[in-house]
Amino acid sequence: MSGHVEKNAQTVSPDMPAMFDGMKLAAVATVLYIIVRCLNLKSPTAAPEITCQDTALNRYLLKSCSILTKEYIPPLLWGKSGHFQTALYGKMGRVSSPHPCGMRLYLPMQDGATATFDLFEPLGDHLTGDDITMVICPGIGNHSEKHYIRTFVGYSQKQGYRCAVLNHLGALPNIELTSPRMFTYGCTWEFSAMVSYIKRAFPQTRLIVVGFSLGGNIVCKFLGENQANQEKVLCCVSVCQGYSALRAQETFLQWDRCRRLYNFLMADNMKKIILSHRGSLFGTRSRKMEIMDLSRLYTATSLMQIDDNIMRKFHGHDSLKEYYEKESCVHYIHNVNVPLLLVNSSDDPLVHESLLTIPRTLAEKKENVIFVLTLHGGHLGFFEGAVLFPQPLTWMDKVIVSYANAICQWQKQQPQSADGQLDEQETL
């Protein structure tokens, strides 16, 4: 019996190793193909695509801020994937983030809300010797304690900038709402209150306005709402915003680049923020919210559903379309006359490529606008590094400070008008 089994084994076994080797090779080839496709390893690196008019100021800025015209090189293994860049920013934030020491200030609003922002003093002299303040608006549901904000603030402080960072109303988990309202997509009230405070407290300072993602929409809308808001403002920088919520809502329901999944995850995060303030928003003080709104919130699976059932009601908008129309900067940004830098990434999974016609067209028509589009970077990622591990400081951090430095130096070289303001004809 044993001899018969041994004979059969000897008959079958010669073909088995070859078959298993073939399966292993096929599996390895499949895995490698998936890795190459998912990580976009075959994509080339390139300098950003720049759209702007040929003016003296723009030529000066592109020469002085040379990082904009040089090749952006993301980490070799994963940096060419917009998903990895976005996920690492979202989960890991920044590598070895600093802990800048600042002071939290509280500003009472007319409707009973309490805005908060953190103030960080510079850690050295500015290269021009002037008093310059960065007024910063973070992304959706973000605040001064987020890693990417801490990294940018720490770097800016060392370059001689004072930094004021808005904490979106309701975003800080340890700060209770004092009225039945929280931040929305385009409400500029809290940012305006912070800027007004800075202008009063530091009358000699000039402002660099910076907005990230949703914050980019808010700062551009703020500047365009009223020409007086542009007083003492040297320039504005917006990074990774979508410009029009009405146009974006349709793309957020699509599955290409997993946008619908991101929509679900962002909606889940918004739910947590809203529910953490359930007592203030749905309690006896609230006249705009009902218990039925709370039940709809639990079942919402997209930002649009949350915006329709909750967010638009904070300001009394009758419909989601009206809310998106009135809170999007696309209707105000053409009124911004200070130098304006708009930065987006082609592989940003949150901002559809169709939305990028807005900043590109604006830069073609207005001489104060520079639109910068990178090939890689994801959403607020823009990591740099050699092979695997990214550097603490990102390309985005360097670009904003480099652009701000160039603007400050240009302003220093220009003749001043009688009231001490930069001659507008010289800048545009």
Side-chain angles (χ1 to χ4, degrees):
M1 177 66 72
S2 61
H4 179 68
V5 171
E6 183 177 350
K7 182 178 180 181
N8 286 342
Q10 290 175 348
T11 303
V12 176
S13 60
D15 297 330
M16 294 300 287
M19 184 175 69
F20 280 124
D21 286 344
M23 292 175 63
K24 289 178 182 177
L25 287 173
V28 170
T30 301
V31 170
L32 289 175
Y33 175 78
I34 293 173
I35 290 175
V36 170
R37 287 297 301 270
C38 290
L39 297 184
N40 204 22
L41 294 179
K42 294 180 68 177
S43 175
T45 56
E49 172 192 324
I50 296 176
T51 306
C52 66
Q53 292 191 16
D54 183 17
T55 66
L57 174 58
N58 289 341
R59 288 194 298 271
Y60 176 86
L61 291 173
L62 294 179
K63 181 179 179 181
S64 301
C65 188
S66 59
I67 187 173
L68 290 176
T69 58
K70 293 180 179 178
E71 184 180 18
Y72 162 54
I73 304 177
L76 179 63
L77 290 184
W78 52 266
K80 295 179 181 179
S81 167
H83 296 296
F84 270 81
Q85 289 255 22
T86 303
L88 284 176
Y89 142 72
K91 292 298 182 183
M92 185 179 66
R94 293 288 182 263
V95 183
S96 304
S97 297
H99 293 270
C101 183
M103 174 176 60
R104 181 156 296 165
L105 292 97
Y106 298 76
L107 302 175
M109 309 291 291
Q110 290 184 351
D111 66 342
T114 303
T116 69
F117 72 95
D118 287 15
L119 187 64
F120 305 88
E121 290 297 328
L123 298 179
D125 293 332
H126 190 267
L127 59 84
T128 63
D130 294 334
D131 186 303
I132 312 291
T133 303
M134 295 263 196
V135 282
I136 303 164
C137 193
I140 183 170
N142 290 175
H143 44 74
S144 63
E145 297 174 10
K146 290 294 182 178
H147 289 277
Y148 76 102
I149 296 294
R150 283 166 35 192
T151 301
F152 177 68
V153 167
Y155 179 51
S156 299
Q157 283 181 293
K158 293 177 182 177
Q159 300 297 313
Y161 291 97
R162 178 187 299 107
C163 294
V165 183
L166 180 69
N167 300 309
H168 284 301
L169 200 62
L172 283 169
N174 57 336
I175 302 293
E176 291 293 329
L177 294 176
T178 57
S179 76
R181 179 176 69 84
M182 56 182 288
F183 77 92
T184 60
Y185 176 67
C187 179
T188 59
W189 297 352
E190 292 79 49
F191 188 76
S192 178
M194 180 181 76
V195 170
S196 296
Y197 178 92
I198 294 298
K199 288 181 178 180
R200 292 193 307 269
F202 308 98
Q204 299 302 316
T205 197
R206 304 296 292 276
L207 305 179
I208 306 289
V209 179
V210 180
F212 298 98
S213 192
L214 171 141
N217 178 73
I218 289 177
V219 300
C220 289
K221 181 172 179 281
F222 165 74
L223 292 175
E225 283 176 332
N226 191 329
Q227 289 295 316
N229 293 341
Q230 300 179 44
E231 293 177 0
K232 293 193 172 184
V233 173
L234 292 175
C235 66
C236 174
V237 182
S238 165
V239 184
C240 289
Q241 70 148 309
Y243 306 97
S244 173
L246 189 62
R247 297 191 202 179
Q249 67 167 339
E250 296 179 3
T251 68
F252 252 131
L253 295 174
Q254 299 168 359
W255 279 100
D256 65 300
R257 295 195 179 184
C258 301
R259 197 171 292 105
R260 185 64 180 86
L261 176 60
Y262 284 104
N263 190 351
F264 175 79
L265 296 174
M266 293 171 69
D268 188 60
N269 186 56
M270 279 299 299
K271 278 188 192 180
K272 293 175 182 177
I273 295 175
I274 294 171
L275 290 174
S276 69
H277 298 288
R278 184 185 311 159
S280 299
L281 298 176
F282 300 94
T284 56
R285 290 182 298 166
S286 178
R287 297 180 181 179
K288 299 177 181 177
M289 298 298 165
E290 301 175 357
I291 297 300
M292 188 176 296
D293 296 324
L294 184 60
S295 64
R296 292 194 185 105
L297 175 65
Y298 283 115
T299 59
T301 60
S302 71
L303 285 176
M304 282 70 75
Q305 290 174 323
I306 295 176
D307 288 341
D308 194 19
N309 294 317
I310 307 293
M311 309 303 284
R312 70 174 176 83
K313 298 181 180 180
F314 291 138
H315 297 289
H317 294 297
D318 294 329
S319 67
L320 185 63
K321 180 180 179 181
E322 179 187 296
Y323 169 67
Y324 284 157
E325 282 280 5
K326 292 188 176 180
E327 300 229 341
S328 294
C329 77
V330 67
H331 304 296
Y332 305 88
I333 196 169
H334 60 277
N335 295 325
V336 178
N337 294 318
V338 298
L340 178 59
L341 178 67
L342 305 172
V343 181
N344 286 94
S345 171
S346 295
D347 65 355
D348 186 336
L350 304 185
V351 180
H352 192 268
E353 60 183 5
S354 62
L355 298 171
L356 302 180
T357 58
I358 298 172
R360 185 177 287 109
T361 302
L362 188 72
E364 290 171 349
K365 293 182 176 181
K366 286 182 67 71
E367 58 186 13
N368 63 305
V369 181
I370 296 178
F371 173 50
V372 176
L373 182 64
T374 63
L375 194 60
H376 308 111
H379 189 77
L380 296 182
F382 299 104
F383 289 99
E384 290 185 309
V387 178
L388 182 60
F389 297 103
Q391 300 170 3
L393 207 60
T394 70
W395 180 87
M396 176 181 72
D397 301 318
K398 297 173 185 176
V399 162
I400 299 173
V401 171
S402 180
Y403 177 82
N405 286 344
I407 286 289
C408 292
Q409 289 174 312
W410 168 269
Q411 186 272 340
K412 194 76 171 177
Q413 298 171 9
Q414 305 307 307
Q416 302 293 313
S417 59
D419 62 356
Q421 295 294 316
L422 180 62
D423 187 340
E424 187 172 322
Q425 292 182 348
E426 291 290 339
T427 55
L428 302 182

